[in-house]
Amino acid sequence: MTQLHALVTYVPADHAEAVLAAVGDAGAGRIGNYSHCAFTTPGTGRFTPLAGSQPFLGSQDRSEHVPEVRIECVVTEDVLDAVVAALRTAHPYEEPALMSWAVNGHRPATARGGRET
């Protein structure tokens, strides 16, 4: 089994579906016979664009508060770079906040996607 990673990013609420589609199309969120699996949570993003920035939202040196969605999904290591590239392309922010880390994933050996019959 390839190494699994958790991937988390935060995106303006009105761009969440585009980012979810992009990372899913690139291979994130594959679990058994399912694709595009993710968990989303609404929240508030807070940031201050500094000198030299070209913010998608807001103005330099002004604190911003934006409705955002936290997107969490699993990604196999072999497609992680492609998924991150797709996320960066679909995300509207100049510098999207994202993080990933290796996780221990459990994949049952049963034939029907892990469901006991």
Side-chain angles (χ1 to χ4, degrees), residues 8-65:
V8 174
T9 191
Y10 308 90
V11 63
D14 56 353
H15 286 78
E17 290 301 320
V19 171
L20 282 162
V23 298
D25 290 351
R30 300 267 170 100
I31 301 174
N33 293 327
Y34 296 84
S35 70
H36 296 77
C37 300
F39 185 82
T40 59
T41 308
T44 302
R46 299 169 184 269
F47 55 90
T48 302
L50 300 175
S53 65
Q54 297 178 5
F56 173 74
L57 297 169
S59 304
Q60 290 181 358
D61 299 321
R62 292 186 55 127
S63 178
E64 294 295 331
H65 305 86

Side-chain angles (χ1 to χ4, degrees), residues 9-10 87-89 91-99:
T9 191
Y10 308 90
L87 185 153
R88 289 185 177 279
T89 298
H91 203 294
Y93 288 172
E94 180 179 18
E95 291 292 337
L98 63 100
M99 60 192 123

